Amino acid sequence: MLLKFSTLKFSNKLPRCFNLPGRYLSIAYANTLQLKPETDNTPPHLDNFEAKVRFLRNNLYPDSLILVLDKTQDLSSAVKIFKWAALQKRFNHTADTYYHIILKLGLAGNIKEMDDFCLNLARDKCQGTEDALASLIDTFVRHSRLNEAIRVVVNMTLGGYNPSVNIFNDLLGALVKKKNDFQHVLFVYKEMVKAGVVPTVDTLNSLIEVLFETRRVESALDQFRRMRKKGCIPNVRTFEIVIKGLTLNDRVDDAVLILHEMWELGCQPDLSFYTCIAPLFCQENRLNEGIQLFRQMRASNLAPDSLTCKELIHCLCMNLHLDEATEILEEMIENHEIPFVDSFVDIVNGFC
C-alpha cells in the first residue's frame, strides 16, 4: 500500500546516484558448491596478480578464492582474480565468493563494479543468494554505506527476491538518522511497496520523522492520522516524533494536544520520550506540561538527566516557582549529580 503524499510531487525516476548499468557479466554460473580438500592450503603472502593466480591454479575452490580475495588489498587485482576464476573450467562462483567481492567493492565505494556483480548474483540465483544479499545490506547499513545498501536492495528486488520488512526498516532508519535526502527515503519506501512488503509502525515512524525534518508538517500529520487505517498503532516513539516535530516547527499548541491525546490513549512514555520532550516544553515555557512530565518520570522510577533538570529549573525560575526549582537542585546534589552552573545562576537571579 503506497503512502499518499497529496501535497507533494516527486519524480518516478531513480535518483541519479541509483541508476543501474544495463550490462551483465557474460559468464553463466552454476548453482553448485565445491568443497575444500582436507589439506591445509592457506595461501602464503602473495604480492601480485600472477603469483596469486599460480597459487589458485591447483587450489581453486570457493574457500581458497575467498582467502586470496581477502588478502588482496588492491581492488583492481581482486576483481581480475574473481573474473579469472569465472573463466576456469570446473569452477563455479558461489553466493559466498560473490558476497566477498561485492562487500570489498562496496566498502571501497566502487559502486559501478559492485552493481555488475550484484546484478549477476541476483540473476543467476546461486544457492544462498537471498541470504548473501540480505547480509550485504545489513553490513553496508552498519558501516554507513547507505548508497551501497540501496543499490543492493534494488538489485535484490530486480532479481525476484523480497528483502524482509526489518531490512527495509533498518535502512530507512539509518537514512533518517544520517539526515539523508528525503528523496532517498521515499525511493526506498517505494522499493518496499514494489516488493509487496507491508509497512510496520517503524516504517511509518521513519517517514513521519523525515517529513517533519524537511518541514512537510501537514504531510507528516496526515501520515500520523492515517496510521490506524494502514494497520499500524502509534507507539511511544511515534508520539515522540510527532510532538518533537510539531514543537520544532513552531506548532507548540498542536504538540500539547498530541501529548494529551497520548495520555488519553494510555500510551506509557519511556526514558527516551521524557528526556526528549520534557526539555522541549520547558524551552518553550510550557511549564504545566514540563512539570507534569517530570513528575510522571519520577513516579515511573526513571531518573531525569542533568539537561532535563537544567531546562526545568530554568522554566520554573522564569515563572517564579523558586521553591520547586531549589528542591530539584537539592535533589540533584543529594543524588551526586553535578548541576549545570546555569541552574545556580537562574535560582540566584530569581531571588534577587
Side-chain angles (χ1 to χ4, degrees):
M1 58 188 134
L2 182 61
L3 292 185
K4 296 179 180 178
F5 294 89
S6 56
T7 60
L8 306 173
K9 293 182 179 179
F10 304 109
S11 169
N12 289 323
K13 296 180 180 179
L14 275 68
R16 182 176 297 177
C17 66
F18 303 137
N19 286 335
L20 302 175
R23 72 181 190 278
Y24 294 95
L25 295 177
S26 60
I27 307 300
Y29 304 116
N31 298 328
T32 61
L33 178 65
Q34 299 187 31
L35 299 176
K36 183 181 178 182
E38 293 181 1
T39 55
D40 182 11
N41 290 311
T42 302
H45 178 72
L46 302 171
D47 295 323
N48 55 58
F49 171 75
E50 290 78 10
K52 291 172 183 177
V53 166
R54 284 197 302 272
F55 169 79
L56 288 170
R57 283 195 188 279
N58 298 316
N59 190 41
L60 186 54
Y61 301 92
D63 287 351
S64 57
L65 176 60
I66 288 169
L67 285 172
V68 169
L69 291 174
D70 287 347
K71 289 176 177 291
T72 305
Q73 294 185 0
D74 180 67
L75 207 57
S76 62
S77 293
V79 171
K80 284 173 64 179
I81 292 168
F82 188 93
K83 291 181 178 179
W84 170 86
L87 297 172
Q88 307 310 300
K89 294 180 180 180
R90 297 186 299 277
F91 179 81
N92 298 284
H93 278 300
T94 67
D96 284 340
T97 59
Y98 269 117
Y99 172 90
H100 281 266
I101 194 65
I102 293 169
L103 181 64
K104 199 175 191 73
L105 289 163
L107 292 178
N110 192 331
I111 295 181
K112 184 176 178 60
E113 285 196 280
M114 185 198 83
D115 253 346
D116 286 334
F117 291 119
C118 273
L119 282 167
N120 219 48
L121 172 59
R123 183 198 66 174
D124 287 353
K125 301 184 184 300
C126 299
Q127 182 180 355
T129 291
E130 187 169 5
D131 288 340
L133 291 169
S135 294
L136 283 165
I137 296 168
D138 177 67
T139 303
F140 286 142
V141 168
R142 286 189 288 106
H143 286 81
S144 296
R145 307 298 304 202
L146 302 185
N147 286 347
E148 289 78 3
I150 292 172
R151 299 292 279 271
V152 178
V153 167
V154 172
N155 285 305
M156 195 170 180
T157 56
L158 285 175
Y161 299 100
N162 291 337
S164 70
V165 66
N166 289 334
I167 287 176
F168 277 112
N169 285 344
D170 288 345
L171 179 52
L172 286 169
L175 287 166
V176 174
K177 184 177 181 180
K178 199 174 179 181
K179 310 296 182 185
N180 225 297
D181 186 87
F182 173 64
Q183 291 290 347
H184 293 176
V185 176
L186 183 61
F187 174 78
V188 172
Y189 177 75
K190 286 184 175 180
E191 287 296 310
M192 185 176 184
V193 172
K194 281 165 55 180
V197 179
V198 179
T200 65
V201 64
D202 291 332
T203 314
L204 299 179
N205 282 350
S206 291
L207 283 169
I208 292 169
E209 185 171 4
V210 77
L211 285 167
F212 274 120
E213 287 180 353
T214 54
R215 297 194 172 276
R216 295 174 170 92
V217 177
E218 294 304 325
S219 293
L221 287 173
D222 181 57
Q223 298 310 315
F224 171 64
R225 292 302 180 197
R226 295 197 292 117
M227 286 182 74
R228 293 179 184 275
K229 293 182 180 179
K230 302 176 189 301
C232 297
I233 306 299
N235 58 19
V236 65
R237 174 62 179 153
T238 311
F239 284 105
E240 179 182 332
I241 290 167
V242 173
I243 293 170
K244 177 183 176 181
L246 288 169
T247 303
L248 294 180
N249 281 280
D250 301 320
R251 299 275 293 270
V252 184
D253 290 340
D254 291 330
V256 171
L257 292 175
I258 298 295
L259 177 64
H260 285 278
E261 179 181 329
M262 185 188 78
W263 284 335
E264 291 172 3
L265 291 172
C267 184
Q268 181 62 42
D270 57 13
L271 183 61
S272 172
F273 180 93
Y274 284 122
T275 56
C276 173
I277 302 304
L280 283 177
F281 279 131
C282 290
Q283 290 165 12
E284 297 293 331
N285 200 28
R286 303 301 293 248
L287 179 59
N288 289 338
E289 288 73 29
I291 196 67
Q292 190 166 355
L293 287 171
F294 183 79
R295 289 168 179 167
Q296 285 182 349
M297 191 176 187
R298 291 201 297 191
S300 300
N301 293 320
L302 296 173
D305 60 5
S306 297
L307 178 61
T308 301
C309 293
K310 169 182 176 294
E311 296 297 342
L312 181 59
I313 290 171
H314 179 73
C315 190
L316 286 166
C317 292
M318 289 283 290
N319 291 275
L320 300 180
H321 291 256
L322 301 177
D323 290 341
E324 289 180 79
T326 303
E327 180 182 340
I328 292 172
L329 186 68
E330 290 174 348
E331 286 181 2
M332 290 181 69
I333 296 171
E334 289 176 4
N335 293 327
H336 306 290
E337 292 184 35
I338 301 176
F340 284 89
V341 173
D342 291 349
S343 297
F344 292 98
V345 174
D346 286 335
I347 292 175
V348 170
N349 288 340
F351 280 110
C352 291

